[in-house]
Amino acid sequence: MGLLLSVRPGRGCTVLEVRGELDMATSPQLREGLQRLVDAGDRQVVVDLAGVGFMDSSGLGALVLMFKALREVGGRLCLAAVQPAVRTVLTVTSVDRVIPVYDGVRAAEAGAPATNHVAGD
C-alpha cells in the first residue's frame, strides 16, 4: 500500500497529514511532499502522523532531512499525533530530542510561531 499525503492550512502553519507505512518504499514520497512545501514557501510545517502505524529508518531519515532543510531556511518542522510504535523509533534514536513531538495537531499549532512567515514578505 502506498502513502497518502494531504496538505491543509493550520493555525499559523501548514499541516501535512500522512497515512500509511513509512518505509523504504514510501519515504521518498514523504520527502518529496515535504520538499514541495518548502519550495512553495511554507516555513512552519506540522507533520500529522496519526495515520502512520509503522516507520523504519528510511522514514526517520526523510523526516530528519526535511527538518534540517526547513531549519536552513529559517523554518520549523514538528510532528503530531505520533502512534506508539513510531514514537518508540523516535525515542530509541533520540530524534524526539531534536524534532519537536506533540500529542496532537492542535498542540503543535499552539507551539508554532504565530505566523507562517515567508522570507521576503
Side-chain angles (χ1 to χ4, degrees), residues 1-6 17-30 51-54:
M1 176 176 160
L3 199 64
L4 300 175
L5 303 177
S6 60
E17 295 176 356
V18 183
R19 304 247 180 274
E21 293 188 351
L22 272 173
D23 57 24
M24 195 167 65
T26 61
S27 60
Q29 190 179 345
L30 173 65
V52 177
F54 173 83

Side-chain angles (χ1 to χ4, degrees), residues 41-62:
D42 292 296
R43 294 296 177 257
Q44 308 299 325
V45 178
V46 174
V47 180
D48 179 356
L49 295 174
V52 177
F54 173 83
M55 179 174 68
D56 70 7
S57 60
S58 59
L60 189 69

Side-chain angles (χ1 to χ4, degrees), residues 43 65-77 98:
R43 294 296 177 257
L65 182 72
M66 295 314 301
F67 170 81
K68 289 178 180 179
L70 268 161
R71 187 179 62 190
E72 286 173 7
V73 295
R76 176 178 178 270
L77 180 134
V98 178

Side-chain angles (χ1 to χ4, degrees), residues 1-120:
M1 176 176 160
L3 199 64
L4 300 175
L5 303 177
S6 60
V7 178
R8 67 175 176 81
R11 292 187 332 233
C13 62
T14 300
V15 178
L16 177 67
E17 295 176 356
V18 183
R19 304 247 180 274
E21 293 188 351
L22 272 173
D23 57 24
M24 195 167 65
T26 61
S27 60
Q29 190 179 345
L30 173 65
R31 190 178 65 249
E32 290 162 9
L34 285 166
Q35 187 63 56
R36 279 192 297 274
L37 295 178
V38 173
D39 292 346
D42 292 296
R43 294 296 177 257
Q44 308 299 325
V45 178
V46 174
V47 180
D48 179 356
L49 295 174
V52 177
F54 173 83
M55 179 174 68
D56 70 7
S57 60
S58 59
L60 189 69
L63 289 171
V64 170
L65 182 72
M66 295 314 301
F67 170 81
K68 289 178 180 179
L70 268 161
R71 187 179 62 190
E72 286 173 7
V73 295
R76 176 178 178 270
L77 180 134
C78 63
L79 309 176
V82 178
Q83 299 304 304
V86 174
R87 186 175 286 274
T88 298
V89 172
L90 295 170
T91 302
V92 166
T93 58
S94 297
V95 169
D96 61 345
R97 294 181 184 196
V98 178
I99 301 177
V101 178
Y102 294 90
D103 289 339
V105 172
R106 285 186 168 215
E109 290 172 330
T115 60
N116 195 5
H117 177 73
V118 177

